[in-house]
Amino acid sequence: MKEFIINTDEIANLISSLPADKWDILAPAKDGKSFDYVLSSDKPIINSEAPPSKISFKEYFFPKSETLFYYKREANEISLTEPKFAEKKLLVLAAKPCDAASLPILSKVFNWDYKDEFFNKRVNNSVIIGLSCAYSDESCFCTSVGLDRNNTKGSDIFLTPFNDKQYVLSVVSDKGDSFVKEFLPNLTEFTGTKETKEFIDNKPFDYKKTKDWIAANFENKIWAETGEVCIGCAQCAFVCPTCHCFDIVDENCDLNCGRRIKNWDACQFGVFTKHASGHNPRNSQEKRYRQRVSHKFDYYYEKFGEVLCTGCGRCTRGCPAGIDIGEIVFSISNQ
Amino acid sequence: MPDLIEIAKGLLESKEVSFIIGYTKDRFGRVKPYIAKSVEDANNLMFDHHSIHNLAVYLTRLKIPENGRVGIVAKSCDIKAIIALIQENQIKREQVYIIGMNCSGVVTHSTDEWKKENIQIKCKYCADKAPMLYDAVAGTAEPFEQPDDTQEVLMQKLETMSSAERWDFWAKEFEKCIKCYACRQVCPMCYCEQCLAEKNQPQWITTSPTPAGNFSWNIIKAFHMAGRCVGCHECERACPMGIPLTLLTRKMGMVAGKEFNYRHGMAIDQPTLVGSYNFNDNEDFIK
Ligand code: SF4
Ligand code: SF4
Ligand code: SF4
Ligand code: SF4
Ligand code: SF4
């Protein structure tokens, strides 16, 4: 891995010198008390100690609402038009390792049988600069799902703080390599050693074993106990970097035109599995919550060999009912 | 005064209630809703300034046995929601055993300290912090510094805006909405078996989280709270996008108070504002 030294001024220069008509920059910024990824913020925050944003950056790759095509009827002819796709490039700056890692996870789903061209285009048009993380709270558990503070999964370039003014910049992917060559050609090579903060996982589990327990415990009281306090919103799924369910609907503008749209959806909603007949196979929150955990730690693992979770803890921090997914999986794996 | 755990144990032991909806602390000290079903479980119950959740929401979410009774730990603001649910015929008075808590104000996040800046604005207006309808009372209220009503400042600012400016303000806020429906799910007064937002024949609300879809959702949710919102601020706490939802519901509550001299959730036998008709009802303020 090629490594360079980059100082804060050089990062500021990079931000101001990227041609604004070709590049958007997405970086964390502070809004009141919470952090959020903000597009073209004038105060991007590059700080490893910052907490994760309230909601992940997945919206920039898998928008909350996306037009697939427009339809129109004239006389008796029906015509379809494709939506305009903004070909602008996206630089994500200071992504948490637990955010960056979600892109390869989502990619597997969006390329498994059908290739989602919109998602792929957005990923191809982006460069992710990950930032080593020095934050942690009770909700984090990245090391339990095979990641860590310095994990470069999903990043094209990775920054590790070296001192107050300097970062070690590691080139992770070919895309990252071309980006550095084009926009940061004058960096000095780095040869020293980096020091980073250790992460102490307070709910360690082995994600490779969790799967079997979940499969064997389809009926366990933990689902009922969680389901009775879970109020069934989709906060957890919508803030999550890896949840990817969507609903496809048609919206008409009048009798003769409209568009087909893909919107975020989530398994915590009662209507998610409700059949037209009125029958609902997941007719209680207990079953719906079990689906959430099973999909993430069993079904996805079964299919793709990794879990559908980066341990970012967002779902937990924001849960209005105080449900902690890491704690649930931890207790599962310790039973 | 008997403490919460003792009361709860007594109720569960005598089987006077089938379970108690209360709060507990997880092993990291974070407070969360908890259902105590046995005398043993009762030991896990607690209450403090992090007991922010309005547990009245569970009265319509959980199955209350037909002729049975359940216990609920409630702050005075939560009791308003319980009263409102009784007024709206969703539960019967005898179905709930209310353990009213003397409250010292609550803070929004589980990690926030109990201090002025973090205490919820609603606590400023909570008359005496003592429960107004209860079967037992527990806890001691400690004096605390009143928070600043930053919302009132914003409300005044909105009042002075032109309708076009107000439209822009809300367009910007609603744009953020991701349609997670946490505001609905957490709301004790949102108990419809089928929400209007889930109806598709006809489709009243566009399901997309687009400007049009968000406006129809957020405005309809707010309208359905006219004269019904009890001001618990749970919707705003739950909203992951930080939309100031209670600005709307609080304003409507103020209108209900001013124009109809009505406040929801104050007395179980009072007819509801939207469920009763009076010839003298003021209507000239409706434009
Ligand atoms: S786990 Fe929490 S965030 Fe998720 S649906 Fe349940 S209450 Fe909502
Ligand atoms: S399930 Fe929760 S902890 Fe895991 S990736 Fe999603 S939001 Fe993060
Ligand atoms: S956990 Fe639920 S919402 Fe998330 S991807 Fe799986 S099925 Fe979809
Ligand atoms: S609308 Fe909001 S403040 Fe009003 S009762 Fe519902 S959750 Fe509470
Ligand atoms: S909680 Fe917030 S983001 Fe979610 S549906 Fe309600 S207003 Fe929208």
Side-chain angles (χ1 to χ4, degrees):
Chain A
M1 204 188 287
K2 266 190 275 178
E3 293 196 320
F4 301 94
I5 268 285
I6 185 166
N7 59 42
T8 42
D9 294 340
E10 285 166 318
I11 296 178
N13 271 343
L14 172 71
I15 297 173
S16 54
S17 66
L18 275 185
D21 55 330
K22 292 205 182 74
W23 286 87
D24 275 329
I25 301 179
L26 184 70
K30 204 166 181 187
D31 171 24
K33 270 190 177 173
S34 68
F35 282 81
D36 276 305
Y37 282 101
V38 177
L39 213 50
S40 329
S41 156
D42 45 3
K43 285 195 198 74
I45 294 178
I46 304 168
N47 179 357
S48 358
E49 279 164 26
S53 56
K54 231 175 161 183
I55 168 163
S56 88
F57 64 30
K58 77 173 168 198
E59 166 158 25
Y60 293 89
F61 300 91
F62 164 41
K64 61 181 179 178
S65 182
E66 175 171 53
T67 304
L68 302 177
F69 57 79
Y70 296 91
Y71 47 82
K72 202 168 172 184
R73 183 169 64 185
E74 275 166 318
N76 268 332
E77 289 291 307
I78 292 176
S79 60
L80 303 181
T81 29
E82 300 228 343
K84 273 200 207 82
F85 193 90
E87 291 287 353
K88 235 174 155 183
K89 296 207 170 236
L90 181 71
L91 175 71
V92 183
L93 188 58
K96 289 259 169 215
C98 56
D99 277 328
S102 69
L103 289 175
I105 298 178
L106 289 173
S107 277
K108 284 191 176 166
V109 174
F110 286 130
N111 288 288
W112 150 60
D113 54 353
Y114 179 78
K115 302 218 176 321
D116 189 314
E117 55 172 306
F118 298 113
F119 176 83
N120 288 340
K121 255 193 205 168
R122 288 195 181 89
V123 173
N124 291 338
N125 278 343
S126 71
V127 170
I128 314 289
I129 305 189
L131 172 66
S132 158
C133 175
Y135 173 86
S136 71
D137 64 18
E138 307 86 0
S139 306
C140 298
F141 57 100
C142 60
T143 47
S144 288
V145 291
L147 298 170
D148 57 77
R149 290 187 183 286
N150 304 303
N151 202 290
T152 59
K153 181 173 176 179
S155 291
D156 297 303
I157 293 167
F158 198 78
L159 299 177
T160 314
F162 187 60
N163 57 34
D164 278 2
K165 292 233 160 313
Q166 296 180 309
Y167 292 86
V168 176
L169 178 151
S170 319
V171 178
V172 183
S173 71
D174 293 345
K175 230 196 307 176
D177 193 40
S178 339
F179 184 87
V180 171
K181 283 188 179 131
E182 186 173 353
F183 297 104
L184 298 162
N186 300 318
L187 299 179
T188 336
E189 217 160 305
F190 175 76
T191 46
T193 41
K194 298 169 286 186
E195 268 175 45
T196 49
K197 240 177 155 173
E198 204 194 329
F199 173 67
I200 305 186
D201 197 337
N202 52 30
K203 40 194 159 208
F205 58 83
D206 181 352
Y207 69 89
K208 297 189 186 90
K209 295 198 182 124
T210 307
K211 177 195 167 313
D212 293 335
W213 191 96
I214 293 174
N217 283 273
F218 200 66
E219 309 286 344
N220 185 289
K221 68 176 181 14
I222 203 166
W223 309 127
E225 277 169 10
T226 313
E228 66 193 6
V229 286
C230 169
I231 52 166
C233 57
Q235 185 277 146
C236 48
F238 286 6
V239 300
C240 173
T242 59
C243 272
H244 50 258
C245 283
F246 57 82
D247 181 31
I248 292 190
V249 290
D250 286 353
E251 261 173 28
N252 289 349
C253 52
D254 61 33
L255 282 178
N256 293 309
C257 68
R259 57 188 189 124
R260 181 155 296 175
I261 319 170
K262 176 169 139 194
N263 293 328
W264 286 357
D265 202 353
C267 59
Q268 297 310 293
F269 291 141
V271 286
F272 187 77
T273 43
K274 195 165 177 187
H275 299 178
S277 67
H279 172 66
N280 193 345
R282 281 187 221 132
N283 56 359
S284 67
Q285 206 51 40
E286 166 183 349
K287 295 179 187 165
R288 299 194 272 268
Y289 195 81
R290 176 178 62 200
Q291 159 64 18
R292 177 166 179 77
V293 176
S294 303
H295 185 203
K296 291 193 168 289
F297 296 92
D298 178 4
Y299 313 150
Y300 190 91
Y301 187 92
E302 177 82 36
K303 191 160 184 68
F304 297 113
E306 59 180 317
V307 289
L308 185 63
C309 173
T310 65
C312 71
R314 281 195 177 83
C315 53
T316 303
R317 277 178 221 108
C319 174
I323 295 168
D324 182 337
I325 196 170
E327 189 68 3
I328 287 170
V329 181
F330 169 77
S331 66
I332 282 175
S333 58
N334 279 293
Q335 280 200 14
Chain B
M1 189 177 295
D3 81 354
L4 170 62
I5 294 180
E6 273 171 64
I7 298 173
K9 277 186 175 164
L11 289 171
L12 288 161
E13 196 159 38
S14 64
K15 303 217 174 354
E16 195 174 337
V17 299
S18 28
F19 54 83
I20 295 174
I21 309 165
Y23 304 91
T24 197
K25 267 190 184 169
D26 69 12
R27 71 185 169 102
F28 304 109
R30 294 172 299 187
V31 176
K32 58 175 194 178
Y34 176 72
I35 317 289
K37 301 182 188 100
S38 64
V39 179
E40 229 170 57
D41 287 355
N43 284 317
N44 300 328
L45 290 170
M46 53 69 64
F47 180 86
D48 70 12
H49 47 264
H50 284 128
S51 302
I52 188 161
H53 325 70
N54 184 349
L55 303 178
V57 71
Y58 293 111
L59 291 174
T60 53
R61 303 286 192 274
L62 300 172
K63 277 195 189 73
I64 303 184
E66 191 63 37
N67 296 310
R69 198 175 198 198
V70 299
I72 183 165
V73 178
K75 312 181 279 292
S76 51
C77 49
D78 307 335
I79 293 173
K80 277 192 222 122
I82 302 174
I83 296 175
L85 287 171
I86 298 171
Q87 281 179 284
E88 295 187 10
N89 287 323
Q90 296 308 306
I91 47 166
K92 297 196 200 86
R93 175 66 184 95
E94 35 322 335
Q95 281 181 300
V96 277
Y97 186 100
I98 305 171
I99 308 175
M101 299 305 301
N102 286 313
C103 173
S104 321
V106 284
V107 300
T108 310
H109 298 290
S110 58
T111 45
D112 282 351
E113 257 179 83
W114 182 57
K115 59 175 188 198
K116 189 180 168 192
E117 302 85 85
N118 295 332
I119 289 174
Q120 286 223 327
I121 293 170
K122 68 173 176 183
C123 302
K124 183 173 184 160
Y125 299 100
C126 184
D128 50 7
K129 280 91 190 161
M132 44 185 183
L133 176 78
Y134 55 83
D135 299 289
V137 183
T140 21
E142 313 230 359
F144 62 93
E145 241 190 303
Q146 301 294 331
D148 295 328
D149 191 350
T150 45
Q151 188 174 57
E152 194 175 28
V153 180
L154 187 54
M155 282 179 116
Q156 276 161 4
K157 203 172 128 197
L158 277 161
E159 299 282 345
T160 60
M161 286 182 184
S162 67
S163 52
E165 285 169 330
R166 266 209 294 271
W167 177 269
D168 287 347
F169 173 88
W170 285 110
K172 226 176 120 215
E173 290 297 341
F174 293 156
E175 221 235 58
K176 299 187 214 158
C177 175
I178 51 178
K179 289 259 174 94
C180 68
Y181 298 115
C183 51
R184 174 187 74 192
Q185 293 308 102
V186 85
C187 175
M189 303 318 293
C190 269
Y191 49 69
C192 292
E193 265 174 43
Q194 189 185 25
C195 174
L196 194 64
E198 287 165 0
K199 269 208 183 310
N200 55 8
Q201 303 241 345
Q203 183 114 46
W204 296 105
I205 300 175
T206 310
T207 54
S208 309
T210 49
N214 288 351
F215 246 99
S216 48
W217 161 244
N218 285 286
I219 293 293
I220 287 177
K221 160 86 169 96
F223 272 12
H224 286 187
M225 289 300 136
R228 296 185 59 240
C229 169
V230 291
C232 66
H233 283 229
E234 282 290 84
C235 47
E236 197 165 312
R237 176 180 72 89
C239 177
M241 304 314 286
I243 303 171
L245 297 166
T246 58
L247 263 180
L248 289 172
T249 49
R250 181 173 170 188
K251 174 71 188 172
M252 286 190 309
M254 285 160 67
V255 174
K258 182 164 164 262
E259 305 296 341
F260 302 102
N261 194 22
Y262 182 84
R263 199 169 163 203
H264 204 37
M266 300 309 281
I268 54 171
D269 48 8
Q270 188 182 16
T272 62
L273 178 62
V274 281
S276 57
Y277 180 72
N278 185 333
F279 266 116
N280 302 322
D281 275 352
N282 186 4
E283 57 179 28
D284 32 303
F285 73 99
I286 302 169
K287 288 181 210 120

